[in-house]
Amino acid sequence: MDQLFTVPEAAELLHTSVRFVRRLIAERRIEFVKVGRHVRIRESALVAFVVAGTVEPLTSHDVTGRAA
Protein backbone atom coordinates (compact mmCIF):
# COMPACT_ATOMS: atom_id res chain seq x y z
CA MET A 1 0.00 0.00 0.00
CA ASP A 2 1.27 3.45 -0.94
CA GLN A 3 2.07 6.06 1.63
CA LEU A 4 -0.54 8.80 1.86
CA PHE A 5 0.63 12.42 1.95
CA THR A 6 -1.18 15.51 3.16
CA VAL A 7 -1.43 18.47 0.79
CA PRO A 8 1.48 20.34 2.46
CA GLU A 9 3.63 17.18 2.37
CA ALA A 10 2.82 16.64 -1.32
CA ALA A 11 3.69 20.27 -2.07
CA GLU A 12 7.02 19.85 -0.31
CA LEU A 13 7.81 16.68 -2.28
CA LEU A 14 6.96 18.40 -5.57
CA HIS A 15 8.82 21.58 -4.52
CA THR A 16 5.72 23.64 -5.22
CA SER A 17 3.25 25.67 -3.20
CA VAL A 18 0.33 24.23 -1.29
CA ARG A 19 -1.93 26.37 -3.46
CA PHE A 20 -0.67 24.61 -6.62
CA VAL A 21 -1.44 21.16 -5.17
CA ARG A 22 -4.90 22.31 -4.08
CA ARG A 23 -5.52 23.57 -7.63
CA LEU A 24 -4.46 20.19 -9.04
CA ILE A 25 -7.00 18.56 -6.73
CA ALA A 26 -9.78 21.04 -7.55
CA GLU A 27 -9.19 20.57 -11.30
CA ARG A 28 -8.97 16.78 -10.83
CA ARG A 29 -5.56 16.73 -12.50
CA ILE A 30 -4.13 14.44 -9.81
CA GLU A 31 -5.63 11.39 -8.13
CA PHE A 32 -6.49 11.86 -4.47
CA VAL A 33 -8.18 10.04 -1.60
CA LYS A 34 -10.84 11.48 0.70
CA VAL A 35 -10.48 10.37 4.32
CA GLY A 36 -13.51 11.92 5.93
CA ARG A 37 -13.10 15.64 5.27
CA HIS A 38 -9.37 15.29 4.73
CA VAL A 39 -7.60 14.91 1.40
CA ARG A 40 -4.61 12.62 0.98
CA ILE A 41 -2.48 11.95 -2.08
CA ARG A 42 -0.91 8.58 -2.77
CA GLU A 43 2.80 8.43 -3.47
CA SER A 44 2.07 6.59 -6.75
CA ALA A 45 -0.25 9.45 -7.83
CA LEU A 46 2.57 11.96 -7.29
CA VAL A 47 4.95 9.80 -9.32
CA ALA A 48 2.36 9.40 -12.10
CA PHE A 49 1.81 13.17 -12.20
CA VAL A 50 5.55 13.81 -12.56
CA VAL A 51 5.95 11.10 -15.22
CA ALA A 52 2.99 12.46 -17.20
CA GLY A 53 4.60 15.91 -17.23
CA THR A 54 8.06 14.70 -18.22
CA VAL A 55 9.27 16.04 -21.56
CA GLU A 56 11.97 14.21 -23.50
CA PRO A 57 14.91 16.35 -24.65
CA LEU A 58 15.34 17.21 -28.32
CA THR A 59 18.18 15.63 -30.28
CA SER A 60 20.23 17.49 -32.85
CA HIS A 61 18.23 15.65 -35.53
CA ASP A 62 14.98 16.99 -34.08
CA VAL A 63 16.31 20.56 -34.12
CA THR A 64 17.97 20.64 -37.54
CA GLY A 65 15.82 18.06 -39.34
CA ARG A 66 18.91 16.10 -40.39
CA ALA A 67 21.34 13.69 -38.76
CA ALA A 68 24.29 15.19 -36.91
Side-chain angles (χ1 to χ4, degrees):
M1 184 171 180
D2 282 343
Q3 183 175 354
L4 296 175
F5 294 104
T6 63
V7 172
E9 290 171 340
E12 187 175 325
L13 286 171
L14 293 175
H15 300 287
T16 63
S17 67
V18 171
R19 183 176 178 182
F20 176 72
V21 176
R22 290 198 188 281
R23 192 171 78 223
L24 292 177
I25 292 166
E27 295 173 357
R28 308 264 177 162
R29 293 174 50 200
I30 194 167
E31 182 182 290
F32 61 94
V33 178
K34 291 282 288 193
V35 182
R37 295 186 315 175
H38 304 282
V39 173
R40 299 292 184 262
I41 303 169
R42 287 189 181 108
E43 183 176 13
S44 61
L46 291 172
V47 171
F49 177 76
V50 171
V51 168
T54 301
V55 178
E56 295 295 324
L58 294 175
T59 64
S60 60
H61 183 269
D62 294 331
V63 174
T64 62
R66 57 187 174 87

